[in-house]
């Protein structure tokens, strides 16, 4: 397993390199944000241990650029700044975990192993399906650059559909994920909200991306899908 450590404090970087090597990892170390982006773009890592305060680019920007480039190696962000706002921002730009300094090396090692078990599957910070763009953290939606005003439940429904583009989703599955288990399976609330959503994301733009799949449910059509 290969780990990239991004840390500009020499002593901490040396301790991390030695400790992780003793755990059996192959370890690369860089001390600059721009170098980290280049290194992690050129080489596939099983985990990236990323300090927040770095020269040239901070850890937030490093993580944001890697996710924008489609690099999905799990990121464990480290920082002496333990404020909740920093942890939230780090997770929202694409980090998978956040560990405040000072930390126990045993905990760091355990978190790295947990991230490796999850793997490097695609998990974009912002969802995009053809002209639709949804930012879960910023709570914004747009089509072709035009902002859309959705209710909280419309937003949740669209997010669920956008996380499964091209898939036929049954009404029962939509009810379970977007509403709660108290709704009767025969409820027409899904159909109602699909109609509301169509009036906002499709009709004003002359498109029909949100389609009904007879006998199944609903699907957010993608231009790449073929019938």
């Amino acid at each position: 397993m290969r780990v990239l450590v991004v840390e500009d404090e020499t002593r901490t970087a040396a301790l991390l390199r030695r400790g992780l090597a003793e755990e059996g990892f192959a370890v690369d170390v860089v001390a600059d944000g721009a170098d980290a982006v280049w290194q992690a773009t050129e080489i596939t890592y099983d985990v990236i241990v990323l300090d927040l305060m770095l020269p040239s680019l901070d850890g937030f920007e490093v993580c944001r650029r890697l996710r924008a480039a489609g690099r999905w190696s799990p990121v464990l962000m480290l920082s002496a700044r333990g404020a909740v706002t920093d942890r939230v921002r780090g997770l929202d730009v694409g980090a998978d975990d956040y560990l405040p300094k000072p930390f126990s090396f045993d905990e760091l090692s355990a978190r790295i192993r947990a991230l490796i078990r999850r793997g490097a599957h695609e998990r974009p910070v912002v969802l995009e399906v053809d002209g639709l763009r949804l930012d879960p953290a910023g709570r914004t939606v747009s089509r072709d650059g035009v902002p859309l005003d959705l209710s909280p439940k419309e937003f949740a429904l669209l997010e669920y559909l956008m996380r499964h583009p091209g898939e036929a989703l049954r009404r029962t599955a939509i009810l379970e994920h977007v509403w709660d288990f108290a709704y009767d399976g025969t409820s027409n609330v899904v159909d109602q909200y699909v109609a509301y959503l169509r009036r906002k994301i499709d009709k004003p733009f002359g498109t029909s991306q949100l389609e009904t799949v007879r006998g199944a449910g609903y699907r957010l059509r993608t231009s790449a899908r073929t019938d």
Side-chain angles (χ1 to χ4, degrees):
M1 293 295 176
R2 192 161 189 172
V3 177
L4 175 64
V5 173
V6 188
E7 171 62 69
D8 66 325
E9 203 284 308
T10 305
R11 183 172 179 274
T12 302
L15 289 172
L16 288 172
R17 182 199 290 272
R18 185 171 69 248
L20 291 172
E22 289 175 356
E23 294 270 327
F25 294 103
V27 185
D28 293 332
V29 177
V30 296
D32 179 272
D35 291 341
V37 173
W38 182 88
Q39 187 93 350
T41 302
E42 293 297 312
I43 300 172
T44 299
Y45 288 95
D46 295 289
V47 173
I48 299 171
V49 179
L50 177 63
D51 188 41
L52 179 56
M53 304 303 294
L54 297 166
S56 71
L57 301 173
D58 65 20
F60 296 132
E61 183 62 16
V62 170
C63 192
R64 189 193 67 77
R65 293 193 184 190
L66 291 177
R67 296 314 189 219
R71 307 302 289 182
W72 305 112
S73 298
V75 170
L76 172 58
M77 194 170 280
L78 303 177
S79 178
R81 292 161 52 176
V84 172
T85 53
D86 291 322
R87 295 199 296 271
V88 169
R89 185 181 175 194
L91 296 170
D92 279 344
V93 297
D96 299 276
D97 201 356
Y98 192 109
L99 186 61
K101 296 179 178 179
F103 53 83
S104 157
F105 183 81
D106 287 342
E107 181 179 4
L108 173 76
S109 181
R111 288 175 182 261
I112 288 174
R113 292 193 298 271
L115 290 174
I116 288 173
R117 288 196 297 270
R118 297 179 200 172
H121 59 279
E122 183 175 346
R123 50 199 183 285
V125 175
V126 176
L127 304 175
E128 296 189 62
V129 180
D130 295 340
L132 285 171
R133 186 178 191 275
L134 183 146
D135 180 353
R139 306 297 294 178
T140 59
V141 183
S142 63
R143 181 185 278 287
D144 301 330
V146 179
L148 304 177
D149 183 19
L150 303 186
S151 72
K153 197 57 69 177
E154 290 166 349
F155 187 97
L157 174 58
L158 181 59
E159 181 177 355
Y160 183 60
L161 290 164
M162 290 183 70
R163 290 192 183 278
H164 302 272
E167 294 183 30
L169 301 173
R170 295 190 175 276
R171 289 174 179 82
T172 52
I174 296 173
L175 278 170
E176 291 171 0
H177 286 84
V178 179
W179 280 267
D180 60 37
F181 294 101
Y183 276 103
D184 189 299
T186 60
S187 170
N188 67 345
V189 67
V190 173
D191 307 292
Q192 291 175 343
Y193 272 84
V194 165
Y196 299 155
L197 200 54
R198 280 177 172 151
R199 287 200 289 267
K200 294 183 177 181
I201 71 170
D202 280 348
K203 189 174 180 180
F205 301 90
T207 187
S208 55
Q209 191 173 4
L210 179 47
E211 63 182 7
T212 301
V213 181
R214 186 171 299 177
Y218 296 100
R219 171 169 51 205
L220 191 67
R221 185 169 51 82
T222 67
S223 58
R225 188 182 67 81
T226 57
D227 292 317

